[in-house]
């Protein structure tokens, strides 16, 4: 069992630039086998920007839930007032979209409230901003997607589940849970298998990222328990000023491509006081990221903390000012690493250990 303790470790990269000319090597899966599998970090196509939907607002809810802390300065929108059932079977997507659209149009701060004791099933959905004021998405119950690819609607994207697009000043928080129900996705024939001859078969392999923030800013994600995403648990693309606090992310050690937090073209990231135990990278950092601070993270099992892969398809990739400190990485294939494609022509690295 590999056990490494990173204490007061400063891992700083400054102006890390790679110019690659030829095709590189593939990234291996968690266990070493003779069969090599393609990494979704490298092969996953960029998801196109979702369109701006037309907003159809529901009537104002009759009143907020009993919440002594709401004070009166924040309007609270309980998803049950918009028709959500929360029995884990009924499709509550429209109720959540109506609650979002209504809260998003409030000029002052507003809260979308997901109550404890209920399990809400939601289809693949895009929550679109910008909103008029600051928004809190308070999850005290449980959110879950349809159970596996056979239950996924044919016209819905299989690359993403819950997407927050062009949102500014939002907090996704609470004491509840997000259950990605990933097992049936991991069992697809195209996924890396560790059976006889490490069999991996051809076929459709798209699997949804659980939570994606796209082109958004001033974000806080805190307190939630997130488990068993079909692919990445969180993905931040083109975002600014992201604060992650006290997350607990879990997935089985052999679950494929279940990165805890993946960031790309994102800056001003703080990941603090969290636990990530999964089947891939605890944190993966792609091209275009800078000012990333990771503190007091417990990571493992999995692949550790990774920068890259960088420089695919003869591209120029830059990452700088990444710091990892006061963290523990255990039962992991790696500690903190940089992954690049082959034939690096230019490498500029500044770091302190």
């Amino acid at each position: 069992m590999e056990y490494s303790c990173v204490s007061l470790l400063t891992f700083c990269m400054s102006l890390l630039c790679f110019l690659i000319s030829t095709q590189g090597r593939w990234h291996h899966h968690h266990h070493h086998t003779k069969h090599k599998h393609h990494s979704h970090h490298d092969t996953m196509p960029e998801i196109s920007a979702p369109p701006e939907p037309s907003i159809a607002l529901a009537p104002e809810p009759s009143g907020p839930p009993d919440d002594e802390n709401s004070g009166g300065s924040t309007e609270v929108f309980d998803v049950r007032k918009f028709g959500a059932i929360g029995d884990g079977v009924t499709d509550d997507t429209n109720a959540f979209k109506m609650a979002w659209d209504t809260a998003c149009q409030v000029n002052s701060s507003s809260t979308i409230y997901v109550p404890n004791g209920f399990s809400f099933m939601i289809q693949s959905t895009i929550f679109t901003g910008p909103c008029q004021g600051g928004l809190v998405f308070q999850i005290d119950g449980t959110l879950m997607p349809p159970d596996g690819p056979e239950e996924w609607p044919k016209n819905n994207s299989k690359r993403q589940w819950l997407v927050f697009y062009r949102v500014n000043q939002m907090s996704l928080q609470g004491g509840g849970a997000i259950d990605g129900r990933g097992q049936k996705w991991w069992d697809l024939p195209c996924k890396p298998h560790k059976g006889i001859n490490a069999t991996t078969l051809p076929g459709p392999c798209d699997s949804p990222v659980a939570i994606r923030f796209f082109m958004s800013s001033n974000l806080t994600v805190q307190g939630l328990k997130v488990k068993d995403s079909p692919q990445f648990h969180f993905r931040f693309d083109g975002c600014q000023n992201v604060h992650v606090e006290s997350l607990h992310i879990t997935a089985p050690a052999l679950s494929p491509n279940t990165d805890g937090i993946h960031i790309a073209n994102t800056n001003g990231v703080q990941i603090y006081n969290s636990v990530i135990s999964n089947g891939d990278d605890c944190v993966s950092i792609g091209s275009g990221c800078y000012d990333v601070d990771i503190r007091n993270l417990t990571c493992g099992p999995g692949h550790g903390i990774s920068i890259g892969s960088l420089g695919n398809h003869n591209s120029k990739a830059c990452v700088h000012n990444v710091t990892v400190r006061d963290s523990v990485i255990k039962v992991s294939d790696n500690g903190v690493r940089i992954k690049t494609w082959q034939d690096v022509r230019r490498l500029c690295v500044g770091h302190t250990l």
Side-chain angles (χ1 to χ4, degrees), residues 318-348:
C318 296
V319 175
H320 63 94
N321 197 22
V322 177
T323 303
V324 180
R325 67 185 79 182
D326 304 329
S327 297
V328 173
I329 301 175
K330 60 183 180 180
V331 200
S332 175
D333 282 359
N334 308 280
V336 182
R337 62 177 175 169
I338 302 172
K339 300 188 295 182
T340 67
W341 288 72
Q342 290 175 347
D343 297 325
V344 177
R345 291 184 177 179
R346 182 181 179 191
L347 176 61
C348 305

Side-chain angles (χ1 to χ4, degrees), residues 193-263:
H193 281 57
K194 300 304 172 185
I196 298 175
N197 297 324
T199 306
T200 299
L201 301 177
C205 213
D206 284 342
S207 301
V209 173
I211 309 292
R212 185 188 183 203
F213 288 91
F214 183 43
M215 297 179 66
S216 297
S217 58
N218 301 314
L219 306 170
T220 298
V221 181
Q222 62 181 354
L224 295 168
K225 296 178 177 63
V226 187
K227 70 174 186 176
D228 295 346
S229 176
Q231 198 175 281
F232 301 163
H233 288 78
F234 284 90
R235 179 172 178 136
F236 296 89
D237 289 289
C239 295
Q240 295 180 333
N241 300 328
V242 176
H243 181 81
V244 175
E245 180 84 31
S246 301
L247 278 189
H248 194 101
I249 298 174
T250 58
L254 294 182
S255 56
N257 297 110
T258 52
D259 295 43
I261 300 171
H262 177 75
I263 62 175

